């Protein structure tokens, strides 16, 4: 919970002097895995100095299989966090607090059967996620928003490519354009939130 609180407060985190780890230091390994998961799922930018590359950070000559599998995921996430695509969608999205905006909307509306947002709430979300301020929302910008909502609703960042595509179709009103206009966003945002809520419920039953 401490890692989550830190990642929700800061958009960039410095982690210095991470040692090379062994199977005899599984408590440290678990904490490092949790830290990386928390940063990745909240799209935090991470600057990490370590005694070895991600692939060589854990000397895994045996050990609990669950931890070794989880550390493989950590290596994959650390590698992705260095990519241009990740960095383009990480860090501060706006001078406004994303956590505050999403918390206010989701806290009051997502528990209701019929989600209804005010024009101001919709405008706040648009201002945050229209990252390049060009008056149009691309699928990458919309995906960023959907994944942030997913963290708030479900507690983790993952959405499948198909779920992202289906959500974007709802947001665009099945428009043939490659971007969503602010009018389409204002009209279809509640349908998207209902869709994301239903995804959460279906997976919860699974």
């Amino acid at each position: 919970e401490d890692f989550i609180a830190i990642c929700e407060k800061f958009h960039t985190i410095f982690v210095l002097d991470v040692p090379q780890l062994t199977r005899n230091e599984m408590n440290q390994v678990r904490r490092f895995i949790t830290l990386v998961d928390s940063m990745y799922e909240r799209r935090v930018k991470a600057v990490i100095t370590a005694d070895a590359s991600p692939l060589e950070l854990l000397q895994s000559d045996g050990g609990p299989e669950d931890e070794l599998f989880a550390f493989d995921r950590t290596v994959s996430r650390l590698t992705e966090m260095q990519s241009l695509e990740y960095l383009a969608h990480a860090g501060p999205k706006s001078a406004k607090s994303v956590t505050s905006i999403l918390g206010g909307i989701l806290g009051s509306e997502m528990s209701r059967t019929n989600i209804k947002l005010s024009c101001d709430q919709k405008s706040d979300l648009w201002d945050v996620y229209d990252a390049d301020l060009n008056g149009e929302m691309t699928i990458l910008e919309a995906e960023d928003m959907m994944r942030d909502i997913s963290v708030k609703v479900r507690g983790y960042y993952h959405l499948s490519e198909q779920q992202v595509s289906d959500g974007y179709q709802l947001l665009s009103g099945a428009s043939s354009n490659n971007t969503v206009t602010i009018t389409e966003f204002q009209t279809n945002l509640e349908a998207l939130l209902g869709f994301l809520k239903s995804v959460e419920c279906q997976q919860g039953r699974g």
Side-chain angles (χ1 to χ4, degrees):
E1 291 185 0
D2 290 341
F3 288 150
I4 292 173
I6 291 169
C7 291
E8 289 186 345
K9 184 174 179 62
F10 300 102
H11 58 71
T12 304
I13 293 175
F14 291 79
V15 183
L16 305 181
D17 301 327
V18 178
Q20 195 168 36
L21 300 166
T22 71
R23 64 177 181 172
N24 296 321
E25 300 165 310
M26 277 300 160
N27 284 336
Q28 291 94 319
V29 170
R30 293 185 190 101
R31 287 200 296 271
F32 187 69
I33 289 170
T34 302
L35 172 62
V36 173
D37 284 346
S38 299
M39 292 190 294
Y40 179 87
E41 290 169 1
R42 286 154 186 82
R43 290 321 237 197
V44 168
K45 290 182 179 179
V47 180
I48 301 174
T49 64
D51 290 343
S53 68
L55 276 173
E56 299 172 335
L57 197 55
L58 176 61
Q59 295 177 318
S60 55
D61 53 344
E65 289 189 7
D66 287 347
E67 276 74 11
L68 296 179
F69 177 80
F71 201 84
D72 285 342
R73 184 188 68 231
T74 296
V75 170
S76 175
R77 289 186 165 187
L78 285 171
T79 301
E80 183 182 342
M81 289 166 75
Q82 299 175 62
S83 69
L84 293 177
E85 181 178 0
Y86 179 93
L87 293 172
H89 296 90
K93 298 181 179 69
S94 168
K96 298 177 180 178
S97 166
V98 174
T99 300
S100 174
I101 291 170
L102 288 178
I105 293 173
L106 300 184
S108 61
E109 291 295 334
M110 292 301 281
S111 61
R112 299 183 183 183
T113 303
N114 296 314
I115 301 169
K116 190 69 176 175
L117 303 183
S118 69
C119 290
D120 286 344
Q121 288 174 317
K122 294 176 182 179
S123 294
D124 282 345
L125 280 178
W126 176 270
D127 289 344
V128 169
Y129 292 98
D130 178 22
D132 55 10
L133 305 178
N134 69 346
E136 297 177 332
M137 184 170 288
T138 66
I139 189 168
L140 288 177
E141 290 168 336
E143 179 180 351
D144 202 17
M145 178 182 71
M146 285 186 268
R147 292 190 188 281
D148 282 347
I149 291 171
S150 177
V151 169
K152 282 293 181 183
V153 172
R154 302 186 295 163
Y156 59 94
Y157 193 77
H158 177 74
L159 286 171
S160 71
E161 290 184 10
Q162 187 60 55
Q163 288 165 344
V164 171
S165 177
D166 291 346
Y168 192 66
Q169 282 291 310
L170 280 173
L171 193 60
S172 67
S175 167
S176 59
N177 296 328
N178 292 325
T179 57
V180 173
T181 66
I182 189 168
T183 300
E184 291 167 342
F185 182 88
Q186 295 267 0
T187 301
N188 301 314
L189 178 59
E190 287 145 340
L192 172 64
L193 293 177
F195 168 75
L196 293 173
K197 181 180 178 181
S198 73
V199 168
E200 185 270 335
C201 291
Q202 292 167 9
Q203 293 195 355
R205 288 196 297 269

